[in-house]
Amino acid sequence: MSGLVVVGVDGSSSSDAAVAQAAREARRRGARLRVVHALSWPVRPMYAPLDPTPLQNLPHEAAEHARAVAPGLDVTHAVVVGDAVPVLSTESRTADLVVVGRRGIGKFVGMLLGSTAVSLVGRSHCPVLVVREEPDDVGPVVLAVDGSPEGEKAVDFAFAEASLRGAEIYAVHAWQPDLAPPGTGAESAEHLLSASVAGRGERYPDVTVRQQVLSGEIRQVLIEASRNAQLMVAGARGRGGFSGMLLGSVSQALLYHAHCPVAVVRDTA
């Protein structure tokens, strides 16, 4: 743990929500907060350089917002030249968590919609938290379980986050009978789910875990499970029902339609 949370800002309302959530995340962790605005500086050889001074106000104001949300929090801010994904990817090397808003303006336009979101998740060196404009810190932490080795990092993150939030974990596994291998039934899915979350009780005795195998189309299952949650946690890649979860239509469904913030955890080992 580096003791650092990074938040990407662009001045949008979604960005403001991300700053507030990032401040709460840093306070829970006893961590520092770094507010970053990525500036893709235009190349204009025939003209004088643009004056960056007004742009410095954006992260400064965001930092002030963070301090208002979490008084006493250690907050720094910076304008970093470069496109959003490479900038945040570099920032993630020294961070425990990168927080971004679901929608944005300026250089964060569409950052979490489509290929750029996949690029950020695929290149980040720490978990990425995608925040809705009105996050609600009420309800369980929903853990999307796929049983893959890569998903272990997501399980660990979910338990740590639930402990920090004083929340229970609602661990779900999506089972599609029509896609299941011959000879396997719901019992196999239940065993996979139980095995995936086992072994964390000693480290997190304060976390209650509720488990459920849900039958249905994966996108619908995840979206519905997020309805009364304060956070959904999922791995960046998986197998079975979650195969390619963040590479295509399922990722689009989560980012557009989840009813709570979504944390994506990548196994960088």
Side-chain angles (χ1 to χ4, degrees):
M1 302 289 286
S2 66
L4 177 66
V5 173
V6 172
V7 59
V9 300
D10 63 5
S12 66
S13 59
S14 185
S15 168
D16 292 342
V19 170
Q21 188 66 31
R24 290 190 285 268
E25 292 291 340
R27 181 174 57 190
R28 289 185 186 113
R29 290 166 165 77
R32 296 166 290 120
L33 178 64
R34 177 169 163 84
V35 178
V36 177
H37 174 59
L39 174 64
S40 184
W41 199 251
V43 178
R44 308 196 315 163
M46 296 178 62
Y47 302 90
L50 296 177
D51 181 6
T53 303
L55 299 173
Q56 299 286 349
N57 293 332
L58 194 157
H60 172 75
E61 292 172 357
E64 289 300 308
H65 179 42
R67 293 187 183 99
V69 172
L73 188 65
D74 183 354
V75 186
T76 59
H77 63 276
V79 173
V80 181
V81 176
D83 290 330
V85 171
V87 165
L88 291 180
S89 176
T90 299
E91 294 285 334
S92 74
R93 289 182 178 276
T94 56
D96 296 325
L97 182 70
V98 171
V99 183
V100 287
R102 181 179 293 192
R103 304 178 187 277
I105 59 176
K107 295 306 173 185
F108 280 80
V109 166
M111 190 179 79
L112 296 166
L113 308 177
S115 61
T116 310
V118 175
S119 179
L120 176 60
V121 169
R123 295 175 61 177
S124 179
H125 299 272
C126 69
V128 177
L129 176 59
V130 182
V131 178
R132 290 172 54 84
E133 291 196 18
E134 296 180 0
D136 188 358
D137 291 340
V138 177
V141 171
V142 175
L143 170 61
V145 174
D146 65 2
S148 69
E150 294 82 0
E152 288 291 303
K153 294 289 187 181
V155 176
D156 290 337
F157 180 87
F159 270 83
E161 193 69 19
S163 181
L164 287 169
R165 292 168 178 250
E168 74 166 356
I169 286 180
Y170 177 37
V172 299
H173 175 66
W175 180 63
Q176 295 179 262
D178 54 329
L179 297 180
T184 61
E187 296 81 5
S188 297
E190 291 169 356
H191 176 74
L192 181 152
L193 178 56
S194 295
S196 296
V197 298
R200 271 83 176 181
E202 284 190 19
R203 187 174 180 185
Y204 301 103
D206 56 325
V207 177
T208 300
V209 182
R210 180 163 49 101
Q211 305 175 35
Q212 190 171 11
V213 172
L214 300 173
S215 178
E217 199 276 328
I218 182 172
R219 288 165 293 190
Q220 296 177 1
V221 164
L222 290 179
I223 292 168
E224 185 59 31
S226 74
R227 186 173 296 278
N228 297 311
Q230 61 176 283
L231 177 69
M232 170 168 280
V233 179
R237 299 179 185 272
R239 68 183 184 192
F242 288 91
S243 179
M245 190 180 78
L246 291 167
L247 303 175
S249 61
V250 176
S251 65
Q252 296 287 331
L254 280 174
L255 296 177
Y256 277 113
H257 302 298
H259 300 281
C260 66
V262 178
V264 181
V265 184
R266 176 170 168 257
D267 186 356
T268 57

